[in-house]
Amino acid sequence: MAIFTSSTQAIPEDRDVPRHVAIIMDGNGRWARKRFMPRVAGHKRGVETLRQAIKACASRGIEYLTVFAFSSENWRRPPEEVAFLMNLFVVALNEEVDRLNANGIRLRVVGDLSRFDPKLRLLIEEGEAKTAVNTKLTLTIAANYGGRWHILQATNKLAIAHPEKIGNFSETDLAPFLAMAYAPEPDLFIRTGGEQRISNFLLWQLAYAEFYFTDLLWPEFDTTALDAAIASYRKRERRFGRTSEQLGVGQEPRAPSSASLLQDQNA
Ligand code: IPE
Ligand code: IPE
Ligand code: MG
């Protein structure tokens, strides 16, 4: 398995198009309520939006798309809504896997799947196996996912694999045990629905992601909205700890840097 460069260990390559986009698809319930429909109608509509987003990401050269579908905290919702979401996951897998496969898309599901119905787990396994050789885009669905769970499962696996090193683990030791070790870190993080929080999504992996928040509710997040997010990303200066001057950008006159002040003194 390819191990990707960590943003804290080395400076990632600068690209015009984000290689990995991670999305918190929020606002389905409010979208439906605004239309006097039950909240779950928003979830159903949200699947349509996701289908369009996958297509758009693939055609824009994005290689990894990771979406938050169900958090480890979403079990706190009314049981009817949880049951609807579980069933929607089953229906969507049944309907979409062949289409994903035909479009060269690899499906991965990340999260604590042990709490899911065996039928759903089987569908996930089959969907992942069926699409395993595809390389156009890797679509990761985060389901019963929590960022803390993700870090802890990796830590526990590492401790079991290397008990002799406990107390001396490095980031590089942990990386291969992360459930998403198959993907580079997200470049662009998008959250729809107006909230500006991370809600226990990819805590480890978002270390240096660019954040983009929009008030659009997830069912309203169309291709134009995605392009606006990518355009915003393009304007960002990703410094990864360095200064603008080191990046060689911003040629317009600036206050002299301390380095040039020193040179002036020496002149
Ligand atoms: C996101 O939409 C989908 C899930 C969390 C499953 P919400 O259901 O959170 O919609 P709002 O935020 O209540 O509008
Ligand atoms: C985050 O949305 C999880 C998903 C989109 C699946 P929530 O709607 O559950 O987040 P909070 O509760 O508002 O933080
Ligand atoms: Mg929400």
Side-chain angles (χ1 to χ4, degrees):
M1 186 197 290
I3 300 289
F4 291 97
T5 316
S6 147
S7 59
T8 48
Q9 302 293 303
I11 292 158
E13 181 194 347
D14 194 22
R15 295 175 180 227
D16 227 19
V17 175
R19 188 175 190 194
H20 184 174
V21 175
I23 309 182
I24 298 191
M25 311 181 288
D26 197 18
N28 292 346
R30 279 165 287 161
W31 180 88
R33 297 310 294 162
K34 258 171 57 179
R35 284 160 183 77
F36 307 101
M37 297 195 288
R39 288 178 49 81
V40 294
H43 297 319
K44 212 167 157 221
R45 185 56 184 260
V47 177
E48 295 286 321
T49 309
L50 176 57
R51 191 183 295 132
Q52 287 170 21
I54 297 165
K55 214 170 128 190
C57 284
S59 74
R60 278 150 186 73
I62 291 160
E63 294 171 43
Y64 298 86
L65 171 65
T66 302
V67 294
F68 208 0
F70 191 87
S71 77
S72 42
E73 289 69 54
N74 285 145
W75 297 104
R76 297 168 180 163
R77 294 193 176 197
E80 309 78 51
E81 182 167 340
V82 171
F84 183 94
L85 284 166
M86 291 301 143
N87 188 52
L88 188 61
F89 200 6
V90 170
V91 170
L93 283 168
N94 271 322
E95 287 179 357
E96 304 297 332
V97 167
D98 285 337
R99 196 197 314 244
L100 292 175
N101 201 24
N103 288 298
I105 295 163
R106 178 169 197 180
L107 173 73
R108 315 278 316 232
V109 179
V110 68
D112 180 4
L113 305 186
S114 65
R115 207 167 156 183
F116 288 150
D117 190 84
K119 191 173 85 180
L120 177 52
R121 266 157 42 198
L122 186 66
L123 273 175
I124 291 170
E125 228 174 85
E126 287 173 353
E128 288 185 330
K130 213 172 192 174
T131 61
V133 296
N134 296 338
T135 55
K136 171 95 184 131
L137 171 86
T138 298
L139 168 69
T140 301
I141 311 272
N144 192 19
Y145 178 87
R148 291 185 178 181
W149 163 84
H150 197 169
I151 295 168
L152 279 170
Q153 63 84 41
T155 311
N156 284 322
K157 283 181 182 160
L158 171 59
I160 290 166
H162 293 290
E164 77 290 352
K165 249 192 126 177
I166 288 177
N168 289 303
F169 290 144
S170 70
E171 200 194 302
T172 319
D173 293 329
L174 189 78
F177 294 95
L178 289 162
M180 282 188 71
Y182 58 83
E185 291 171 37
D187 302 293
L188 172 61
F189 161 92
I190 300 171
R191 182 171 187 147
T192 62
E195 315 297 348
Q196 302 197 354
R197 55 176 172 250
I198 204 166
S199 298
N200 198 16
F201 196 27
L202 302 159
L203 299 178
W204 178 278
Q205 290 79 0
L206 291 174
Y208 269 103
E210 297 297 331
F211 280 58
Y212 181 87
F213 297 99
T214 170
D215 287 337
L216 289 175
L217 303 170
W218 175 247
E220 301 166 342
F221 191 80
D222 57 11
T223 305
T224 312
L226 175 71
D227 285 335
I230 297 171
S232 164
Y233 168 84
R234 282 212 179 106
K235 288 197 210 119
R236 312 280 178 97
E237 187 180 284
R238 303 192 76 192
R239 291 192 286 273
F240 298 102
R242 297 162 298 171
T243 67
S244 286
E245 288 78 4
Q246 284 175 293
L247 299 181
V249 292
Q251 298 306 328
E252 69 276 10
R254 285 170 185 266
S257 66
S258 51
S260 64
L261 281 175
L262 277 176
Q263 279 164 10
D264 289 344
Q265 280 164 7
N266 295 338

